[in-house]
Amino acid sequence: MVTKLDRIAQIAKERPKEKFTSLMHLIDEDMLKYCHNELDRKKATGIDKVTKDEYEANIDDNIKELVGNMKSHKYKPQPVRRAYIPKVESNKMRPLGIPAHEDKIVQNALNKILTSIYEQEFLNCSFGFRVNRGCHDAIKILDIYVSKRNTNYIVDADIKGFFDHVNHEWLIKFLKERIADTNMLRLISRILKAGVMEKGSFYKTYEGTPQGGLISATLGNIYLHYVLDLWFEKVVKKYCKGKAYLVRYADDFIACFEFKEDAQAYYKALINRLTKFNLEVAEDKTRTIYFGINAYRDFKINKGPKPETFDFLGFTHYCSHQKDGRFRVKRKTSAKKFRNSLKRCTQWLKENRILPIQELMKRLAIKLNGYFRYYGITDNSESMNTYRDKVRSLLFKWLNRRSQRKSFNWDKFVLFMKQYKLPRGKVYVNIFDLKKEISYIL
């Protein structure tokens, strides 16, 4: 299977205009079993309530029947079960689509094939849900564009409800640019139109790719590759008077410009471009700001207004300087993400305070290390130390609510913390280390 996928990737790279006419034969029993084994046993179940263990009890017959149904076109994905999770800093809830286990297997297989093809197609400006590219890589490249590539203006843009408004017809048209296998296109279309079950009621889906589905992120990347990335590369840059750069992670993106008129023209064109493909700019979250070395010099030397900041991938980016006075963009944990992380920590401590102390502190240390692994980047030490102090205060509060009697005074708690030390934040990611990423920007 891996060899076949590598061969597809090689063909996609060597022949960028070739369409793949035969792909469905790759989804055989061996591939589906492999995809089944990759799935997490702890994930929530779909509307049929079938777990991975239950499906695995009769895996050979189940997979054989699934392959037979797919070959005879009898396979129809079940509606996804809709669940909701709280939205950050809002009273609103974010919808998630949870497919049935068998549908997860099929989506996993499809995702591998699509990734093999489109990983060669995607541009260097795209970072979300791609092989060997992550949030920190996107931040590193953005730092190069802002600090060393004549960036003076930033368009900080946000697409309103992207995954809920992907147009199915346009998406299939985009897929047809590289895929001519009608059976695969039919299968993807059925997944998109499988519908949603919510509180016992069925709802048809005419647009969108349900967040939570294994294939949703890849389909979203494909959609924005044609709607945004190629348009920016082939049209926007062509009409700009100065330099222009784009950095996109999933549906979050930042555009950098040398001249103000280019940034303003792009903002206006972006609204029309997205409207054409059934998308909409969140105007309350989209703006053009004066940012970069010239904005910082105007502030320091000409006593102009302080440069605005912008948030991207959980960090607030702001203009500052090095010890020798040279300009540098710095980052700290965004206030929104900081508050949200503390809320989640508060809720977790409240629910788990009855655990044995050793177990509680072990799990809390794991959570803190995970937080520091992401937010532990250059210049963010102060925010991480503040977060650790806040967590320690929350721990003191909830340990004293394990029973009706107060467990600790502060002196006793200090001695307790010497025995059960919380991990300290440190820099795990050096923003200026470009050993891997340098090929993206040359």
Side-chain angles (χ1 to χ4, degrees), residues 156-256:
D156 178 14
D158 188 85
I159 301 175
K160 185 184 294 185
F162 168 70
F163 286 98
D164 296 329
H165 296 101
V166 170
N167 183 279
H168 293 172
E169 292 182 7
W170 274 114
L171 178 56
I172 296 300
K173 286 181 181 178
F174 295 149
L175 290 169
K176 286 181 178 179
E177 291 293 315
R178 294 308 311 261
I179 298 173
D181 187 334
T182 55
N183 292 326
M184 174 164 280
L185 293 172
R186 183 189 298 113
L187 178 58
I188 294 173
S189 183
R190 286 183 176 182
I191 290 173
L192 292 172
K193 299 182 184 301
V196 171
M197 287 292 291
E198 183 176 353
K199 296 180 180 179
S201 299
F202 173 76
Y203 300 92
K204 291 184 177 181
T205 48
Y206 299 101
E207 62 180 5
T209 60
Q211 284 183 271
L214 293 172
I215 201 173
S216 294
T218 302
L219 292 178
N221 260 346
I222 293 170
Y223 200 78
L224 287 179
H225 169 71
Y226 289 100
V227 172
L228 189 64
D229 300 353
L230 284 176
W231 172 67
F232 190 92
E233 186 68 25
K234 297 183 179 297
V235 179
V236 174
K237 283 188 174 182
K238 179 180 178 182
Y239 288 97
C240 283
K241 295 179 180 178
K243 300 292 185 180
Y245 307 98
L246 179 71
V247 178
R248 179 176 67 82
Y249 187 94
D251 59 328
D252 294 329
F253 58 97
I254 297 291
C256 307

Side-chain angles (χ1 to χ4, degrees), residues 23-226:
L23 294 169
M24 282 298 293
H25 70 279
L26 297 172
I27 306 180
D28 55 16
E29 291 186 25
D30 289 337
M31 185 180 195
L32 292 173
K33 286 181 181 179
Y34 183 88
C35 292
H36 160 82
N37 291 330
E38 282 190 331
L39 297 178
D40 190 346
R41 296 182 188 277
K42 298 179 181 179
K43 291 294 185 180
T45 57
I47 61 171
D48 59 0
K49 302 296 182 183
V50 175
T51 65
K52 179 177 180 179
D53 291 332
E54 291 170 344
Y55 194 88
E56 201 170 79
N58 195 22
I59 185 69
D60 291 332
D61 291 340
N62 287 334
I63 293 295
K64 187 174 182 179
E65 182 181 0
L66 176 58
V67 171
N69 288 337
M70 292 179 71
K71 286 183 177 179
S72 60
H73 308 306
K74 293 180 181 178
Y75 168 75
K76 290 186 179 180
Q78 299 180 60
V80 299
R81 179 169 67 86
R82 175 161 287 172
Y84 291 89
I85 59 173
K87 208 169 184 179
V88 177
E89 295 288 307
S90 172
N91 295 325
K92 298 179 181 179
M93 302 292 283
R94 186 187 300 277
L96 290 179
I98 304 173
H101 180 76
E102 189 168 76
D103 297 333
K104 290 178 184 178
I105 297 173
V106 175
Q107 287 193 31
N108 196 11
L110 279 172
N111 194 50
K112 291 182 183 300
I113 296 172
L114 290 176
T115 300
S116 296
I117 296 171
Y118 282 95
E119 186 59 31
Q120 326 307 318
E121 191 84 4
F122 292 145
L123 303 184
N124 285 332
C125 62
S126 169
F127 289 87
F129 306 106
R130 292 186 59 189
V131 179
N132 297 324
R133 289 193 177 200
C135 296
H136 294 139
D137 300 329
I139 292 171
K140 288 180 180 182
I141 300 307
L142 180 60
D143 181 78
I144 292 292
Y145 291 157
V146 175
S147 301
K148 300 179 180 179
R149 295 295 175 89
N150 297 326
T151 291
N152 294 312
Y153 292 89
I154 295 285
V155 177
D156 178 14
D158 188 85
I159 301 175
K160 185 184 294 185
F162 168 70
F163 286 98
D164 296 329
H165 296 101
V166 170
N167 183 279
H168 293 172
E169 292 182 7
W170 274 114
L171 178 56
I172 296 300
K173 286 181 181 178
F174 295 149
L175 290 169
K176 286 181 178 179
E177 291 293 315
R178 294 308 311 261
I179 298 173
D181 187 334
T182 55
N183 292 326
M184 174 164 280
L185 293 172
R186 183 189 298 113
L187 178 58
I188 294 173
S189 183
R190 286 183 176 182
I191 290 173
L192 292 172
K193 299 182 184 301
V196 171
M197 287 292 291
E198 183 176 353
K199 296 180 180 179
S201 299
F202 173 76
Y203 300 92
K204 291 184 177 181
T205 48
Y206 299 101
E207 62 180 5
T209 60
Q211 284 183 271
L214 293 172
I215 201 173
S216 294
T218 302
L219 292 178
N221 260 346
I222 293 170
Y223 200 78
L224 287 179
H225 169 71
Y226 289 100

Side-chain angles (χ1 to χ4, degrees), residues 154-160 251 253-255 263 266-268 270-271 274 280-289:
I154 295 285
V155 177
D156 178 14
D158 188 85
I159 301 175
K160 185 184 294 185
D251 59 328
F253 58 97
I254 297 291
Y266 167 74
Y267 181 85
K268 292 179 181 178
L270 178 66
I271 295 174
L274 294 181
E280 184 180 354
V281 169
E283 295 188 9
D284 57 324
K285 298 179 182 179
T286 304
R287 61 205 176 109
T288 301
I289 64 173

Side-chain angles (χ1 to χ4, degrees), residues 320-335:
S320 186
H321 60 270
Q322 302 181 112
K323 291 181 179 180
D324 60 4
R326 287 185 296 169
F327 170 76
R328 188 165 103 195
V329 178
K330 293 186 178 181
R331 293 150 202 87
K332 61 183 179 181
T333 308
S334 73

Side-chain angles (χ1 to χ4, degrees), residues 382-413:
E382 184 177 343
S383 288
M384 287 191 292
N385 290 334
T386 302
Y387 182 78
R388 182 180 182 273
D389 292 342
K390 294 283 188 183
V391 169
R392 187 172 61 174
S393 298
L394 289 171
L395 180 64
F396 176 70
K397 171 183 175 179
W398 288 108
L399 285 179
N400 277 323
R401 284 163 173 74
R402 284 162 65 91
S403 65
Q404 292 181 345
R405 293 183 59 188
K406 191 173 181 179
S407 303
F408 294 99
N409 58 32
W410 186 253
D411 291 336
K412 188 177 177 181
F413 180 70

